[in-house]
Amino acid sequence: MQSEQIPNRVLLFDGVCNLCNGAVQFIIKRDPDGLISFTSLQSETGQSLLKKSGLPTDQFDSFVFIEDGRVYTKSTAAIKVFRHLRGPWRLFVLFFAVPKPVRDMVYSFIAKNRYKWFGKKNECMLPSPSIKKRFLP
């Protein structure tokens, strides 16, 4: 995918992770203006964006949020996404007050156990026609 075709805000997520897929559905419902686009880390576009950002292409234990060309991972990515949601979810930006190493330690603990706690799909989710335009190939 050409860089001029990449939307301003893209969330890369583990496409086979039930927790991650649930998070994407959560975000879509609270971002009715479609400010955030999505692609799985495993997709062609996701792999290309990871390479371009200098991130590993075989580790899927973090959300990656790209906004205005800047790349955010782990807890920072999650908090940056919450900033764009409607309703009280924007208050999650207050977690920036927690030191990044502490935030990322909690994030990594959840990420390490997500398959055990929430399960895993055999393949990436297919978006419904109504939200398909928000997903990059």
Side-chain angles (χ1 to χ4, degrees):
M1 176 167 261
Q2 304 254 337
S3 62
E4 63 268 6
Q5 296 173 326
I6 300 296
N8 192 40
R9 295 175 193 92
V10 180
L11 179 63
L12 288 77
F13 65 98
D14 180 351
V16 299
C17 167
N18 286 337
L19 175 63
C20 302
N21 281 289
V24 168
Q25 295 302 318
F26 177 91
I27 293 164
I28 288 169
K29 288 178 185 172
R30 287 150 187 88
D31 177 25
D33 297 329
L35 299 175
I36 299 169
S37 296
F38 305 90
T39 193
S40 74
L41 292 159
Q42 296 92 336
S43 71
E44 182 180 324
T45 300
Q47 289 287 295
S48 174
L49 290 170
L50 289 170
K51 284 179 192 165
K52 183 179 174 184
S53 301
L55 295 171
T57 58
D58 59 349
Q59 295 175 9
F60 306 123
D61 61 350
S62 176
F63 273 150
V64 176
F65 186 55
I66 301 172
E67 182 176 33
D68 297 325
R70 297 202 53 188
V71 179
Y72 305 98
T73 60
K74 296 190 178 195
S75 66
T76 302
I79 295 169
K80 290 279 186 179
V81 167
F82 274 109
R83 192 180 68 177
H84 296 290
L85 303 184
R86 286 198 178 160
W89 305 106
R90 289 179 173 202
L91 294 175
F92 271 74
V93 299
L94 297 174
F95 280 105
F96 275 129
V98 176
K100 185 176 177 358
V102 174
R103 291 191 331 252
D104 282 350
M105 184 175 63
V106 172
Y107 185 100
S108 294
F109 178 74
I110 294 168
K112 180 181 174 184
N113 292 289
R114 71 191 187 282
Y115 293 148
K116 180 171 50 171
W117 294 341
F118 300 98
K120 183 176 174 179
K121 299 179 182 305
N122 290 329
E123 53 193 44
C124 294
M125 72 174 234
L126 294 174
S128 67
S130 64
I131 60 169
K132 189 173 176 97
K133 67 181 182 281
R134 294 185 62 184
F135 286 79
L136 308 178

